[in-house]
Amino acid sequence: MRKFCFCCCLVILISVWGCQSSNTPDVTEPTSEPTMGQETMNNNTETPQAVIDAVFKDITNNNTINSENLQVEQTEAKTWSDGCLGLAQPDEFCTQALVEGWRVTVTAGETTWVYRTDQTGQNLRKES
């Protein structure tokens, strides 16, 4: 019984000792500063050209319109509620994680398209 109590105390002591913070920074601790390759919505307020290109490509592939006739009316940074960018279809499963992206409105004459995308434009969905 004594050995058991000693082992329990030792495990608790090691656990508590390992959880205490020190004044020296931990090398593996993530930083809040983005690295060179990362884009953050807070720092990047201009819509990437890749997002615009992806939207234009989808419009021209699904309509009989030339990309020269398309005009970006509005873009805004958004945080979507899931991997389906808040536009899940019936019986569709979406990742349940916030997705940083864009809402892009494009016009051509009287026609307007509104798209939702992720940060890069690889995931996009037509809103209207």
Side-chain angles (χ1 to χ4, degrees), residues 37-56:
Q38 294 174 323
E39 289 183 342
T40 61
M41 297 306 294
N42 295 336
N43 296 333
N44 188 9
T45 57
E46 186 175 327
T47 308
Q49 187 61 43
V51 169
I52 303 300
D53 292 344
V55 170
F56 277 23

Side-chain angles (χ1 to χ4, degrees), residues 74-116:
Q74 180 182 17
T75 63
E76 57 184 318
K78 289 288 203 174
T79 302
W80 307 113
S81 60
D82 55 44
C84 294
L85 309 177
L87 297 172
Q89 299 296 315
D91 298 326
E92 181 178 22
F93 294 101
C94 308
T95 58
Q96 297 300 303
L98 298 177
V99 176
E100 299 292 334
W102 300 94
R103 186 171 188 262
V104 181
T105 305
V106 176
T107 61
E110 298 291 317
T111 308
T112 300
W113 296 270
V114 179
Y115 278 81
R116 295 181 181 188

